[in-house]
Structure formats: C-alpha cells, structure tokens
Amino acid sequence: AGSLVSHAAGVYAWEQIPASESAQGETRFRWTKGSAAFREPVRGTVLTVPLSVSRPDLATQRVELRVAIEGVPTAPVTLLRNGWQTLTYDLVALLGEGHLRAHRTITVTFVVNPTFVPARVGSSDDWRELGVGVGTFRWSGPTPEIAAAGRGPLVGRPFLHHDIALRGACVIGAT
C-alpha cells in the first residue's frame, strides 16, 4: 500500500513556459538538482517521463542522465540536444508483474552529471544548481488491478521508447 499523492525531493518549484515554446503539450516542469526522487502513484503499466533539457553548455559538455525505478537502474542516457524529450518505460518488464500488483506507488530517481549553474555559464543570473527539467509523468496501459482481473496484458520490454539520441549507451529494447 502507499499514498495516492505524488511526492518529490531534490527538485525546485514548478516553472511555466509559454505555450508557444511548448512541445508534446508540456507547459510546466521542475528542475532537478544533481539527484532527485519522485514517489508516484501507479496509474498504469507504462510510464512516460517528459524532460526539458535547456543547457547552454550541451555542445561542449557531455551530460549523462541515470534513471532508476524502484532501485532498478535503467540504461544511462547521454543528453545531446536541448528541447523537450521523452523517456518511456514498461514497468512490468522492468519490475515484474508481482511487484506492480503489490505496490500502489513507485519511486523514480534521477541523477544528472554534471549539473550546471546558469549564472556561471552566462545564460542568466540564476545561481541554482540545475540538472534536468522534469514535466508531469504520464501513464498508459492498464493499472495492475485491471490487468489482474484479465482486462489487459502485462507484457513488454523495460525501455520501450526514447527520443533522446544516445551515444555509448546500451539500451535493451529501444525502438
């Protein structure tokens, strides 16, 4: 059992962006620090995480993002471009059907290396240590309870999709 309310640590307050700059329907995000954790109610079997990447040093600085879900590491991602990007995970394949049915919440952690301070790279007067912007988590697929009742399959691959260009990372099941 767990809370049906989202919780986050290691993040700053929500920020809005103009709808004209939006992609994928996202208009708000929270910057992470170097590491962040989100405790989310399970609302399906597939989790999509929208990322807002906005780093003036990205052309010269290799930036790696590591994501773990319930402590299970996923393939590392090298961020190569600015803009909205998504990561999508099949939680049944990653965690197992039994785990999803037994837990109403999951913890998703992010570690970004290196972080940056916008004021130090000359892009603004913002002195916060920033990692990556994380939008609102999106869910699809049946909830574990519905699937357990025989109304939806719990099958798939741990890492279904990414639209982030990868360099030097082995991503099993990437499409």
Side-chain angles (χ1 to χ4, degrees):
S3 171
L4 295 179
V5 177
S6 299
H7 298 281
V11 297
Y12 297 101
W14 285 102
E15 295 185 26
Q16 291 288 132
I17 61 169
S20 61
E21 296 176 23
S22 174
Q24 306 170 10
E26 293 294 322
T27 59
R28 66 184 201 147
F29 67 92
R30 291 185 280 189
W31 280 108
T32 68
K33 298 177 183 180
S35 60
F38 296 83
R39 187 89 179 140
E40 292 287 320
V42 175
R43 296 185 173 107
T45 55
V46 177
L47 173 63
T48 300
V49 181
L51 301 176
S52 175
V53 180
S54 180
R55 294 185 61 127
D57 62 346
L58 202 55
T60 59
Q61 177 68 57
R62 176 187 166 113
V63 178
E64 185 175 80
L65 171 64
R66 293 188 177 270
V67 178
I69 300 174
E70 286 294 285
V72 177
T74 64
V77 175
T78 300
L79 303 174
L80 299 175
R81 64 179 171 85
N82 286 310
W84 282 99
Q85 301 163 49
T86 58
L87 298 173
T88 300
Y89 299 97
D90 181 322
L91 299 179
V92 174
L94 186 67
L95 303 175
E97 189 173 330
H99 182 89
L100 272 187
R101 286 188 178 146
H103 296 84
R104 296 181 62 175
T105 61
I106 60 167
T107 299
V108 181
T109 59
F110 296 84
V111 176
V112 180
N113 188 29
T115 57
F116 78 109
V117 175
R120 287 196 182 126
V121 294
S123 63
S124 78
D125 60 356
D126 185 349
W127 284 95
R128 297 177 298 170
E129 175 189 26
L130 304 178
V132 66
V134 177
T136 304
F137 288 11
R138 295 189 306 256
W139 294 89
S140 59
T143 63
E145 294 82 11
I146 290 172
R151 295 189 296 266
L154 287 178
V155 296
R157 298 174 299 185
F159 194 83
L160 289 177
H161 170 77
H162 66 86
D163 69 0
I164 295 177
L166 300 173
R167 181 186 301 153
C170 176
V171 179
I172 300 169
T175 57

